[in-house]
Amino acid sequence: MTINENLSAFNNKRIVDFEEEISSLDFVYRIRVDYDDEEQDFEALLQKFCNDPKAAEAKELIIGAWNEIDEGTESLEIVNFLTRNKDKLPKLEYLFLGDITYEECEMSWINQCDVSPLLAAFPQLKHFQVRGGNDLSLGSLHHEALETLIVETGGMNRQILNEITNAKLPKLKHLELWLGNENYGWSGTLEDLQPFLSRDHFPNLTYLGLKNSEISDEIAKALNDASILDGLEVLDLSMGTLGDEGAQALLANPKIAQLKSLNLSHHYISDEVSAKLSELPCQVDLSDQEEEDEYGRYVEVGE
């Protein structure tokens, strides 16, 4: 599966594509250009948005497809532009960099950059989301207000994992990492994920998503008696390759029953074991059951 649709809602508001002006702040505006129209100028459109007087009241912004997504340094130019124009967006709290479908650019081809200047420029951000792992860096991440961090890749470099491990995010409640597979850039190990299984790093976390992973079984087994489960409301291992081995480890883990929600959608679990999971006292999502073929199992989004 690939990402075939743009977001339709963000922060519980409907998304519209920005064209000429900000008509109402009841909407969230997405800045994007048509991927096959070379005449459109992304930065000019972004400039028009920032120059609109109502931008000073905007709390949300989505960056969609820009020119030359899979080559060049335009993502860096976008980051630099927003950083320079931070005073025109003084109330920005929700930012998504890369609402891009596969028709616009496959996720594994999206060129990103060091996005840490954005987080430094907008200290009031509560939600930061980025799609695409090529050349992505979070830098030395220290943010006092951030509550949600979502990093979507078809293959996550271990450098990103280390940057998040070393981050200082005292208010973080929602951490969602799309880990991917090694064919598209995954270079981490289970050892690199161990810090995310401890509550020492992110004591206020209520949602942990280690998604889209080719080592879902190993992650499930490593969660045995993991302190992160204490106080966690949602565990999300969806989009990956979870099979009976990992599912049995979850069933044997008494802390799993304390969750409110367990998301295992897109999985390789047998009907027999799925039936046992369905008996857990928490809400369990077992949709999108896959069958392993002669070449093995696949994460939901790689390329």
Side-chain angles (χ1 to χ4, degrees), residues 45-252:
L45 196 61
L46 185 56
Q47 180 77 67
K48 186 180 293 186
F49 177 86
C50 289
N51 287 342
D52 190 303
K54 290 182 180 177
E57 299 297 320
K59 291 186 177 182
E60 306 92 359
L61 177 62
I62 296 176
I63 301 298
W66 55 83
N67 306 109
E68 300 181 354
I69 303 169
D70 59 345
E71 58 184 53
T73 59
E74 187 155 347
S75 62
L76 177 58
E77 293 170 7
I78 294 168
V79 168
N80 289 339
F81 179 91
L82 288 171
T83 302
R84 290 194 308 271
N85 288 271
K86 62 182 181 180
D87 292 340
K88 296 180 178 180
L89 301 167
K91 295 188 177 180
L92 191 65
E93 296 181 353
Y94 297 81
L95 178 61
F96 181 8
L97 177 62
D99 182 16
I100 297 167
T101 68
Y102 81 94
E103 287 188 336
E104 294 166 325
C105 185
E106 297 285 3
M107 186 163 66
S108 63
W109 301 355
I110 298 172
N111 265 20
Q112 287 289 0
C113 63
D114 181 356
V115 298
S116 59
L118 284 176
L119 291 140
F122 297 100
Q124 69 276 28
L125 275 183
K126 295 180 179 179
H127 176 117
F128 180 70
Q129 184 171 353
V130 59
R131 178 175 296 162
N134 287 349
D135 296 326
L136 177 66
S137 173
L138 298 173
S140 181
L141 184 54
H142 182 189
H143 201 286
E144 293 293 333
L146 199 69
E147 297 178 3
T148 296
L149 176 63
I150 302 173
V151 184
E152 304 176 1
T153 76
M156 188 170 292
N157 190 300
R158 72 192 315 172
Q159 172 195 327
I160 299 172
L161 295 172
N162 292 336
E163 289 171 347
I164 300 172
T165 297
N166 294 320
K168 296 179 181 178
L169 304 171
K171 290 191 176 180
L172 195 70
K173 298 178 181 179
H174 179 122
L175 177 62
E176 182 176 337
L177 306 178
W178 295 23
L179 304 176
N181 67 50
E182 63 179 356
N183 292 328
Y184 295 102
W186 164 250
S187 63
T189 65
L190 185 61
E191 184 177 355
D192 295 313
L193 297 177
Q194 288 294 339
F196 304 111
L197 308 185
S198 169
R199 191 153 284 278
D200 293 342
H201 284 76
F202 304 110
N204 297 315
L205 217 62
T206 58
Y207 171 106
L208 175 63
L210 298 175
K211 305 170 57 173
N212 201 46
S213 174
E214 66 180 4
I215 61 168
S216 298
D217 280 338
E218 289 83 352
I219 293 170
K221 289 186 288 184
L223 281 163
N224 181 43
D225 202 35
S227 63
I228 194 61
L229 294 173
D230 299 325
L232 201 69
E233 296 179 1
V234 180
L235 175 63
D236 191 344
L237 302 180
S238 65
M239 302 174 65
T241 59
L242 190 72
D244 282 0
E245 186 178 4
Q248 294 283 14
L250 294 174
L251 284 166

